[in-house]
Amino acid sequence: MANANPKGDGSTVALDLSTEQVEILRDHLADWLDGAQRDLTTPERLQDPDRTRAEAEAFKRLLAALDRGEIPVPDEDAYAALSAAAKSADEASNYAEVVAAHDALYGLLALLEAGQR
C-alpha cells in the first residue's frame, strides 16, 4: 500500500483550482470520507477493509491538500481512491447522458441562432 509521497522527496503540486471547485471537492471528499468511515464500523461486511482504510486515509490527505493549496506527489492511494470515486459519481449522475444531452441541445441552439442572422 502506498503512502503519501512515498518517495519522501517533498515534491508537491500547487492546486490551481477556483474557490468554487475547492468547495465542490471539499464537499465530495468529506462525503466520501464519511462513507468510508461508516463502512469501517463493520469491517467484516467489507470485501476489502484494507482498501477502504486506504481510501479513507487518502480522502483525509486530499482534504488537507485543499486546505494547504498543494498536494504531495506521487500518492498512488489518493489517485486510486479519487479515480474510483469520480467514476462512481459519473455513473450515479448519468454524466455521459447529461453531456450528450447538453451537446445536442446546444448544437441545435447554435443552428437556430445561426439561422436568425
Side-chain angles (χ1 to χ4, degrees):
M1 202 174 313
N3 295 321
N5 198 6
K7 293 192 300 185
D9 62 4
S11 296
T12 59
V13 175
L15 296 177
D16 185 21
L17 302 169
S18 71
T19 302
E20 181 181 11
Q21 289 171 320
V22 169
E23 290 307 312
I24 290 167
L25 288 169
R26 187 172 281 118
D27 287 346
H28 282 294
L29 288 166
D31 287 347
W32 295 328
L33 173 58
D34 184 57
Q37 289 174 327
R38 274 195 320 267
D39 289 347
L40 288 168
T41 62
T42 54
E44 66 280 359
R45 294 183 178 182
L46 298 172
Q47 280 187 319
D48 189 349
D50 288 337
R51 182 180 60 103
T52 303
R53 281 185 203 90
E55 288 175 348
E57 291 303 314
F59 294 143
K60 287 178 190 177
R61 289 192 303 276
L62 290 168
L63 282 164
L66 290 178
D67 291 339
R68 285 190 314 271
E70 62 183 15
I71 186 166
V73 291
D75 187 335
E76 291 87 1
D77 286 346
Y79 179 85
L82 190 58
S83 180
K87 182 178 179 189
S88 179
D90 282 353
E91 290 170 359
S93 67
N94 294 317
Y95 178 75
E97 184 178 330
V98 169
V99 169
H102 171 86
D103 290 349
L105 289 167
Y106 279 90
L108 182 57
L109 185 59
L111 293 173
L112 290 170
E113 182 179 14
Q116 292 181 1
R117 295 182 192 163

